[in-house]
Amino acid sequence: MDDFLAARSQMALSLGFHIIFACIGMVMPFFMAVSHYYYLKTKKPVYKNITKAWSKGVAIFFATGAVSGTALSFELGLLWPEFMKHAGPIFGMPFSLEGTAFFIEAIALGFFLYGWDKFNPWFHWFTGVVVGVSGIISGILVVAANAWMNNPTGFDYINGQYINIDPIKAMFNDAWLSQALHMSIAAFCATGFAVAGVHAYMLLKGKNKEFHRKSFRIAAAFGCIAAILQPLSGDFSAKDVAKRQPAKLAAMEAHFYTEKRAPLIIGGIPNEEKQTVDYALKIPGLLSFITHGDINAEVTGLDQIPKDEHPPVAITHYAFQIMVGLGMIMLLISILYFYSLWKKHNLMDKKWLLKLFAIATPMGYIAVEAGWTVTEVGRQPWIIYGIMRTADAVTPMPGIVYSFYLFTAIYLSLSFIVGFMLYRQIKMVDTLYDISEDLSNKQS
């Protein structure tokens, strides 16, 4: 492995881990706030217990997200110094504002964790809401910086110089809305299905049914609503990519030749040498309709893109298919879930539905990882689209491969530690409720 590949691999590894921590940190506080609201309105202890249990999970992921996010900020400067030299002054504002949002989130989380029975109950609830809102704002600001890399604006690039810099225009570039919307909904979908899946599994085991049933309903509501909205934001994003990054769209769809009435390709194995897609299902005209709203519209293929600017087609295509495929599965589960609610079926009688949620536990995060692969790999060979190539931005410092190995070991260790802590947290909750149920039975 050469240093360039090692630098890219280290960045991909760091982003891959951080995006999961970030999604949970963005979304779980809203679950927590809903259960806390129910407690304040109903005074039922089960909602207080749910809130406290989820708040401990939020604290775990906030800490790990802070560590992984800090590592990422250092890696940008250490691995990509030429990129930061020119890009830092342009899109530094979103990162600065993200730091402020993170600071507010940390204070609010501290208030919430240690404010039980100390603050006014509704002010205490409000601090939990602030945790969620500031977390979402942090995520949107970071995505705005990434969107700028896909659609660099807010400056003039003349004779290799970046002049007339406008940080506001750079932050609110043409890509930020579609990317921020798509990523935010994806975070709710992934986290909702992950949390609902865990509680569905515990319900199937017959553990603390009231606690897990109410927890499941809150998480499933968020996840399923997001899963239904996600195709709409995906369509919005696809149209935006078709307009701004035709090479990325062509790689996503393995669309090698420019043509009218372009087919939508489902599945298939791209052959970049022969410029064919084997074993694929092709729906005539659907790609033209999705991207341009006209079944007969022309869609740009890779034949219109210089060969040295082609993204890796196979990786981008497979990642896109995984993202869309898992999204459709979660959409189907969501429809089944809301249909069950509409028919007023007893969820406990629908073991098959709980099993679907349990199986779907990791699907949202796999889809998120696949989506980020599409975003980042599909932009290659550019780190700043159309202006700076990734190979020109990497550090000249040797030995990056050893740094990659070190970070791999650190992140794998961190994932095992977080997994162990969450496992202990779940076991502790179940043990406490088993004890409380025994006491209740004895008293009765």
Side-chain angles (χ1 to χ4, degrees):
M1 181 186 293
D2 60 26
D3 287 335
F4 177 56
L5 181 58
R8 290 189 62 191
S9 300
Q10 181 174 325
M11 203 70 191
L13 176 79
S14 301
L15 278 169
F17 275 94
H18 179 70
I19 194 63
I20 295 177
F21 301 148
C23 284
I24 296 172
M26 288 164 60
V27 174
M28 276 295 292
F30 289 100
F31 299 180
M32 184 178 74
V34 170
S35 62
H36 193 188
Y37 175 81
Y38 284 150
Y39 168 66
L40 293 176
K41 296 295 289 185
T42 66
K43 302 302 179 183
K44 291 182 178 180
V46 64
Y47 286 118
K48 182 178 182 180
N49 294 327
I50 292 170
T51 305
K52 284 193 170 185
W54 279 348
S55 68
K56 291 177 181 178
V58 170
I60 291 171
F61 282 103
F62 179 83
T64 51
V67 172
S68 60
T70 302
L72 271 172
S73 64
F74 280 111
E75 286 175 336
L76 280 172
L78 293 174
L79 299 178
W80 314 101
E82 193 65 22
F83 167 68
M84 290 303 295
K85 173 184 174 182
H86 298 291
I90 302 172
F91 72 69
M93 179 176 288
F95 280 129
S96 300
L97 294 175
E98 191 275 336
T100 303
F102 178 81
F103 182 65
I104 294 171
E105 183 182 5
I107 294 173
L109 181 60
F111 280 174
F112 188 84
L113 292 174
Y114 299 102
W116 288 99
D117 304 319
K118 296 180 177 67
F119 294 136
N120 174 280
W122 286 105
F123 175 77
H124 183 220
W125 171 82
F126 176 72
T127 62
V129 175
V130 171
V131 174
V133 172
S134 55
I136 285 288
I137 292 173
S138 292
I140 290 173
L141 289 168
V142 170
V143 171
N146 180 267
W148 178 85
M149 296 165 68
N150 287 306
N151 183 65
T153 55
F155 66 96
D156 292 323
Y157 184 65
I158 300 174
N159 297 326
Q161 299 296 316
Y162 299 77
I163 60 175
N164 301 326
I165 294 172
D166 184 347
I168 300 295
K169 188 176 180 180
M171 183 166 66
F172 295 107
N173 57 81
D174 291 341
W176 85 269
L177 179 59
S178 62
Q179 281 197 212
L181 181 64
H182 196 57
M183 185 62 234
S184 297
I185 295 175
F188 275 95
C189 180
T191 305
F193 268 84
V195 176
V198 170
H199 291 292
Y201 176 74
M202 300 306 291
L203 284 170
L204 289 169
K205 291 181 66 177
K207 293 280 189 177
N208 304 313
K209 291 183 179 180
E210 184 184 16
F211 177 89
H212 291 297
R213 183 169 61 249
K214 293 186 183 301
S215 301
F216 171 83
R217 285 185 177 276
I218 293 172
F222 276 99
C224 291
I225 291 172
I228 291 172
L229 294 176
Q230 190 69 324
L232 301 177
S233 72
D235 178 69
F236 180 38
S237 294
K239 286 180 168 59
D240 185 60
V241 169
K243 180 174 64 176
R244 293 183 299 95
Q245 294 177 297
K248 179 184 286 188
L249 178 72
M252 287 160 56
E253 293 291 342
H255 185 61
F256 289 102
Y257 299 102
T258 301
E259 58 183 316
K260 296 181 178 179
R261 202 178 175 82
L264 180 72
I265 296 176
I266 300 175
I269 301 175
N271 187 323
E272 295 186 55
E273 290 186 3
K274 296 181 180 179
Q275 297 192 337
T276 59
V277 185
D278 301 321
Y279 314 111
L281 172 64
K282 298 183 179 181
I283 305 176
L286 189 54
L287 181 60
S288 293
F289 180 77
I290 289 173
T291 55
H292 299 292
D294 180 0
I295 197 171
N296 295 310
E298 183 177 88
V299 179
T300 302
L302 288 168
D303 59 334
Q304 297 294 313
I305 311 294
K307 197 156 189 177
D308 65 344
E309 296 180 11
H310 284 194
V313 176
I315 295 175
T316 308
H317 178 69
Y318 293 144
F320 181 68
Q321 296 292 308
I322 290 170
M323 178 186 70
V324 173
L326 293 177
M328 290 298 102
I329 292 173
M330 290 185 288
L331 173 62
L332 177 60
I333 294 173
S334 301
I335 292 172
L336 292 172
Y337 175 69
F338 284 124
Y339 177 79
S340 180
L341 289 181
W342 179 55
K343 288 295 185 179
K344 297 182 180 179
H345 292 154
N346 185 354
L347 190 64
M348 296 304 297
D349 295 334
K350 301 293 182 182
K351 299 289 186 182
W352 59 270
L353 186 58
L354 292 176
K355 288 179 181 178
L356 285 178
F357 272 97
I359 293 169
T361 299
M363 286 186 183
Y365 289 119
I366 296 173
V368 167
E369 298 284 9
W372 271 103
T373 300
V374 172
T375 299
E376 298 302 291
V377 176
R379 189 180 60 244
Q380 300 306 313
W382 306 101
I383 191 169
I384 305 176
Y385 188 71
I387 293 177
M388 179 184 288
R389 290 178 180 264
T390 309
D392 296 331
V394 72
T395 178
M397 183 179 69
I400 297 299
V401 64
Y402 300 109
S403 174
F404 168 63
Y405 294 146
L406 176 63
F407 270 77
T408 301
I410 290 172
Y411 277 112
L412 287 175
S413 301
L414 184 62
S415 65
F416 282 120
I417 292 170
V418 171
F420 176 71
M421 292 175 67
L422 290 176
Y423 173 77
R424 284 194 62 185
Q425 178 65 23
I426 293 170
K427 293 292 289 184
M428 186 183 302
V429 169
D430 283 329
T431 301
L432 290 174
Y433 276 91
D434 286 339
I435 294 172
S436 65
E437 283 185 1
D438 290 341
L439 290 174
S440 299
N441 292 333
K442 288 179 180 178
Q443 289 174 356
S444 61

Short mmCIF file of all heavy atoms in Angstrom, two decimals, residues 205-241:
data_model
loop_
_atom_site.label_atom_id
_atom_site.label_comp_id
_atom_site.label_asym_id
_atom_site.label_seq_id
_atom_site.Cartn_x
_atom_site.Cartn_y
_atom_site.Cartn_z
N LYS A 205 -37.56 -11.81 23.15
CA LYS A 205 -37.04 -12.62 24.25
C LYS A 205 -37.93 -12.57 25.48
O LYS A 205 -37.69 -13.30 26.46
CB LYS A 205 -35.63 -12.14 24.62
CG LYS A 205 -34.58 -12.42 23.55
CD LYS A 205 -33.20 -11.94 23.99
CE LYS A 205 -32.68 -12.73 25.17
NZ LYS A 205 -31.31 -12.32 25.57
N GLY A 206 -38.96 -11.73 25.44
CA GLY A 206 -39.88 -11.62 26.56
C GLY A 206 -39.36 -10.83 27.73
O GLY A 206 -39.83 -10.97 28.86
N LYS A 207 -38.38 -9.94 27.49
CA LYS A 207 -37.76 -9.16 28.56
C LYS A 207 -38.49 -7.84 28.78
O LYS A 207 -38.71 -7.08 27.84
CB LYS A 207 -36.29 -8.85 28.19
CG LYS A 207 -35.39 -10.08 28.16
CD LYS A 207 -34.98 -10.48 29.56
CE LYS A 207 -33.91 -11.55 29.54
NZ LYS A 207 -33.46 -11.90 30.89
N ASN A 208 -38.88 -7.57 30.03
CA ASN A 208 -39.40 -6.26 30.44
C ASN A 208 -40.30 -5.64 29.36
O ASN A 208 -39.98 -4.60 28.78
CB ASN A 208 -38.25 -5.32 30.76
CG ASN A 208 -37.33 -5.89 31.82
OD1 ASN A 208 -37.78 -6.37 32.85
ND2 ASN A 208 -36.04 -5.85 31.55
N LYS A 209 -41.42 -6.28 29.12
CA LYS A 209 -42.22 -5.97 27.94
C LYS A 209 -42.70 -4.52 27.91
O LYS A 209 -42.70 -3.89 26.85
CB LYS A 209 -43.40 -6.93 27.85
CG LYS A 209 -42.97 -8.36 27.53
CD LYS A 209 -44.17 -9.28 27.40
CE LYS A 209 -43.72 -10.70 27.04
NZ LYS A 209 -44.87 -11.62 26.92
N GLU A 210 -43.13 -3.99 29.03
CA GLU A 210 -43.63 -2.61 29.04
C GLU A 210 -42.53 -1.62 28.66
O GLU A 210 -42.73 -0.74 27.82
CB GLU A 210 -44.20 -2.25 30.41
CG GLU A 210 -44.82 -0.85 30.43
CD GLU A 210 -45.31 -0.43 31.80
OE1 GLU A 210 -44.91 -1.07 32.79
OE2 GLU A 210 -46.06 0.56 31.88
N PHE A 211 -41.36 -1.78 29.26
CA PHE A 211 -40.23 -0.89 28.99
C PHE A 211 -39.85 -0.94 27.51
O PHE A 211 -39.73 0.09 26.84
CB PHE A 211 -39.03 -1.30 29.87
CG PHE A 211 -37.78 -0.50 29.62
CD1 PHE A 211 -37.54 0.67 30.32
CD2 PHE A 211 -36.85 -0.92 28.68
CE1 PHE A 211 -36.39 1.41 30.08
CE2 PHE A 211 -35.69 -0.19 28.45
CZ PHE A 211 -35.47 0.97 29.16
N HIS A 212 -39.67 -2.15 26.99
CA HIS A 212 -39.20 -2.30 25.60
C HIS A 212 -40.31 -1.98 24.59
O HIS A 212 -40.01 -1.49 23.49
CB HIS A 212 -38.64 -3.70 25.38
CG HIS A 212 -37.37 -3.95 26.12
ND1 HIS A 212 -36.22 -3.25 25.85
CD2 HIS A 212 -37.07 -4.82 27.13
CE1 HIS A 212 -35.25 -3.68 26.66
NE2 HIS A 212 -35.74 -4.62 27.44
N ARG A 213 -41.56 -2.24 24.95
CA ARG A 213 -42.64 -1.92 24.02
C ARG A 213 -42.77 -0.41 23.81
O ARG A 213 -42.89 0.07 22.68
CB ARG A 213 -43.96 -2.50 24.53
CG ARG A 213 -45.13 -2.27 23.56
CD ARG A 213 -46.37 -3.06 23.95
NE ARG A 213 -46.85 -2.69 25.27
CZ ARG A 213 -46.79 -3.50 26.34
NH1 ARG A 213 -46.22 -4.69 26.23
NH2 ARG A 213 -47.25 -3.10 27.50
N LYS A 214 -42.72 0.34 24.90
CA LYS A 214 -42.83 1.79 24.77
C LYS A 214 -41.58 2.39 24.11
O LYS A 214 -41.69 3.33 23.31
CB LYS A 214 -43.07 2.42 26.15
CG LYS A 214 -44.43 2.04 26.75
CD LYS A 214 -44.71 2.77 28.03
CE LYS A 214 -46.04 2.33 28.66
NZ LYS A 214 -47.18 2.55 27.76
N SER A 215 -40.42 1.84 24.42
CA SER A 215 -39.19 2.30 23.78
C SER A 215 -39.23 2.03 22.28
O SER A 215 -38.86 2.87 21.46
CB SER A 215 -37.98 1.60 24.40
OG SER A 215 -37.88 1.85 25.78
N PHE A 216 -39.70 0.81 21.95
CA PHE A 216 -39.80 0.43 20.54
C PHE A 216 -40.71 1.38 19.77
O PHE A 216 -40.38 1.81 18.66
CB PHE A 216 -40.33 -1.01 20.43
CG PHE A 216 -40.66 -1.42 19.04
CD1 PHE A 216 -39.68 -1.88 18.18
CD2 PHE A 216 -41.97 -1.35 18.57
CE1 PHE A 216 -39.98 -2.24 16.87
CE2 PHE A 216 -42.29 -1.71 17.27
CZ PHE A 216 -41.29 -2.17 16.42
N ARG A 217 -41.84 1.72 20.35
CA ARG A 217 -42.80 2.57 19.63
C ARG A 217 -42.22 3.95 19.33
O ARG A 217 -42.44 4.50 18.25
CB ARG A 217 -44.09 2.70 20.45
CG ARG A 217 -44.96 1.45 20.42
CD ARG A 217 -46.28 1.68 21.14
NE ARG A 217 -47.15 0.52 21.07
CZ ARG A 217 -47.96 0.25 20.05
NH1 ARG A 217 -48.01 1.08 19.02
NH2 ARG A 217 -48.73 -0.82 20.06
N ILE A 218 -41.49 4.52 20.29
CA ILE A 218 -40.90 5.85 20.06
C ILE A 218 -39.86 5.78 18.95
O ILE A 218 -39.88 6.58 18.00
CB ILE A 218 -40.27 6.38 21.36
CG1 ILE A 218 -41.35 6.65 22.41
CG2 ILE A 218 -39.47 7.66 21.08
CD1 ILE A 218 -40.81 6.99 23.79
N ALA A 219 -38.94 4.82 19.05
CA ALA A 219 -37.86 4.71 18.05
C ALA A 219 -38.42 4.35 16.68
O ALA A 219 -37.99 4.90 15.66
CB ALA A 219 -36.84 3.67 18.51
N ALA A 220 -39.38 3.41 16.64
CA ALA A 220 -39.95 2.98 15.36
C ALA A 220 -40.68 4.12 14.66
O ALA A 220 -40.64 4.22 13.43
CB ALA A 220 -40.88 1.79 15.57
N ALA A 221 -41.36 4.96 15.43
CA ALA A 221 -42.07 6.10 14.82
C ALA A 221 -41.10 7.01 14.08
O ALA A 221 -41.32 7.38 12.92
CB ALA A 221 -42.83 6.87 15.89
N PHE A 222 -40.00 7.37 14.75
CA PHE A 222 -38.99 8.21 14.11
C PHE A 222 -38.39 7.52 12.89
O PHE A 222 -38.28 8.10 11.80
CB PHE A 222 -37.87 8.55 15.10
CG PHE A 222 -38.17 9.72 15.99
CD1 PHE A 222 -38.63 9.51 17.29
CD2 PHE A 222 -37.99 11.02 15.57
CE1 PHE A 222 -38.90 10.58 18.14
CE2 PHE A 222 -38.25 12.10 16.39
CZ PHE A 222 -38.71 11.88 17.68
N GLY A 223 -37.97 6.26 13.07
CA GLY A 223 -37.29 5.55 11.99
C GLY A 223 -38.17 5.33 10.78
O GLY A 223 -37.73 5.50 9.64
N CYS A 224 -39.44 4.96 11.02
CA CYS A 224 -40.33 4.64 9.90
C CYS A 224 -40.76 5.90 9.14
O CYS A 224 -40.87 5.87 7.91
CB CYS A 224 -41.55 3.88 10.41
SG CYS A 224 -41.15 2.20 10.98
N ILE A 225 -41.02 6.98 9.86
CA ILE A 225 -41.36 8.24 9.17
C ILE A 225 -40.18 8.68 8.30
O ILE A 225 -40.36 9.09 7.14
CB ILE A 225 -41.73 9.33 10.19
CG1 ILE A 225 -43.07 9.01 10.85
CG2 ILE A 225 -41.81 10.70 9.51
CD1 ILE A 225 -43.43 9.93 12.01
N ALA A 226 -38.97 8.58 8.85
CA ALA A 226 -37.78 8.96 8.08
C ALA A 226 -37.59 8.05 6.87
O ALA A 226 -37.21 8.52 5.79
CB ALA A 226 -36.54 8.90 8.98
N ALA A 227 -37.85 6.76 7.03
CA ALA A 227 -37.69 5.82 5.91
C ALA A 227 -38.66 6.13 4.77
O ALA A 227 -38.34 5.94 3.60
CB ALA A 227 -37.90 4.39 6.40
N ILE A 228 -39.85 6.63 5.11
CA ILE A 228 -40.83 6.99 4.09
C ILE A 228 -40.43 8.30 3.39
O ILE A 228 -40.64 8.47 2.18
CB ILE A 228 -42.23 7.10 4.71
CG1 ILE A 228 -42.72 5.71 5.13
CG2 ILE A 228 -43.23 7.75 3.76
CD1 ILE A 228 -43.99 5.70 5.93
N LEU A 229 -39.83 9.22 4.15
CA LEU A 229 -39.41 10.50 3.56
C LEU A 229 -38.11 10.38 2.77
O LEU A 229 -37.86 11.19 1.86
CB LEU A 229 -39.21 11.54 4.67
CG LEU A 229 -40.47 11.98 5.43
CD1 LEU A 229 -40.08 12.93 6.57
CD2 LEU A 229 -41.46 12.65 4.49
N GLN A 230 -37.30 9.38 3.10
CA GLN A 230 -35.96 9.29 2.50
C GLN A 230 -35.96 9.17 0.97
O GLN A 230 -35.13 9.81 0.32
CB GLN A 230 -35.20 8.12 3.13
CG GLN A 230 -33.72 8.05 2.78
CD GLN A 230 -32.91 9.19 3.38
OE1 GLN A 230 -33.36 10.32 3.49
NE2 GLN A 230 -31.69 8.89 3.78
N PRO A 231 -36.84 8.38 0.36
CA PRO A 231 -36.85 8.35 -1.11
C PRO A 231 -37.11 9.72 -1.74
O PRO A 231 -36.59 10.01 -2.83
CB PRO A 231 -37.98 7.36 -1.44
CG PRO A 231 -38.06 6.48 -0.24
CD PRO A 231 -37.77 7.38 0.92
N LEU A 232 -37.90 10.56 -1.07
CA LEU A 232 -38.16 11.90 -1.61
C LEU A 232 -36.90 12.75 -1.58
O LEU A 232 -36.57 13.44 -2.55
CB LEU A 232 -39.28 12.57 -0.80
CG LEU A 232 -40.63 11.85 -0.77
CD1 LEU A 232 -41.61 12.59 0.12
CD2 LEU A 232 -41.19 11.72 -2.19
N SER A 233 -36.16 12.70 -0.45
CA SER A 233 -34.91 13.45 -0.38
C SER A 233 -33.87 12.85 -1.31
O SER A 233 -33.03 13.56 -1.88
CB SER A 233 -34.38 13.47 1.06
OG SER A 233 -33.88 12.22 1.45
N GLY A 234 -33.92 11.51 -1.51
CA GLY A 234 -33.01 10.87 -2.44
C GLY A 234 -33.24 11.32 -3.87
O GLY A 234 -32.29 11.54 -4.64
N ASP A 235 -34.50 11.47 -4.23
CA ASP A 235 -34.83 11.97 -5.58
C ASP A 235 -34.33 13.40 -5.76
O ASP A 235 -33.78 13.75 -6.81
CB ASP A 235 -36.34 11.89 -5.77
CG ASP A 235 -36.78 12.43 -7.13
OD1 ASP A 235 -36.48 11.78 -8.15
OD2 ASP A 235 -37.42 13.49 -7.17
N PHE A 236 -34.50 14.22 -4.72
CA PHE A 236 -34.01 15.60 -4.74
C PHE A 236 -32.50 15.62 -4.92
O PHE A 236 -31.96 16.38 -5.74
CB PHE A 236 -34.42 16.28 -3.44
CG PHE A 236 -33.99 17.71 -3.31
CD1 PHE A 236 -34.01 18.58 -4.39
CD2 PHE A 236 -33.57 18.21 -2.09
CE1 PHE A 236 -33.61 19.92 -4.27
CE2 PHE A 236 -33.17 19.52 -1.94
CZ PHE A 236 -33.18 20.38 -3.03
N SER A 237 -31.79 14.74 -4.20
CA SER A 237 -30.34 14.68 -4.29
C SER A 237 -29.88 14.18 -5.66
O SER A 237 -28.91 14.69 -6.22
CB SER A 237 -29.78 13.76 -3.20
OG SER A 237 -30.01 14.29 -1.92
N ALA A 238 -30.58 13.18 -6.20
CA ALA A 238 -30.20 12.62 -7.50
C ALA A 238 -30.32 13.67 -8.60
O ALA A 238 -29.44 13.77 -9.48
CB ALA A 238 -31.07 11.41 -7.82
N LYS A 239 -31.39 14.45 -8.56
CA LYS A 239 -31.54 15.51 -9.57
C LYS A 239 -30.44 16.56 -9.44
O LYS A 239 -29.94 17.09 -10.44
CB LYS A 239 -32.93 16.16 -9.43
CG LYS A 239 -34.08 15.31 -9.94
CD LYS A 239 -35.41 16.00 -9.77
CE LYS A 239 -36.53 15.30 -10.52
NZ LYS A 239 -36.74 13.93 -10.10
N ASP A 240 -30.06 16.85 -8.20
CA ASP A 240 -28.99 17.83 -7.97
C ASP A 240 -27.65 17.30 -8.48
O ASP A 240 -26.89 18.02 -9.12
CB ASP A 240 -28.91 18.12 -6.47
CG ASP A 240 -27.91 19.21 -6.16
OD1 ASP A 240 -28.08 20.33 -6.66
OD2 ASP A 240 -26.94 18.94 -5.41
N VAL A 241 -27.37 16.02 -8.21
CA VAL A 241 -26.12 15.41 -8.68
C VAL A 241 -26.09 15.36 -10.20
O VAL A 241 -25.05 15.62 -10.83
CB VAL A 241 -25.96 13.99 -8.09
CG1 VAL A 241 -24.82 13.24 -8.78
CG2 VAL A 241 -25.68 14.06 -6.59
#
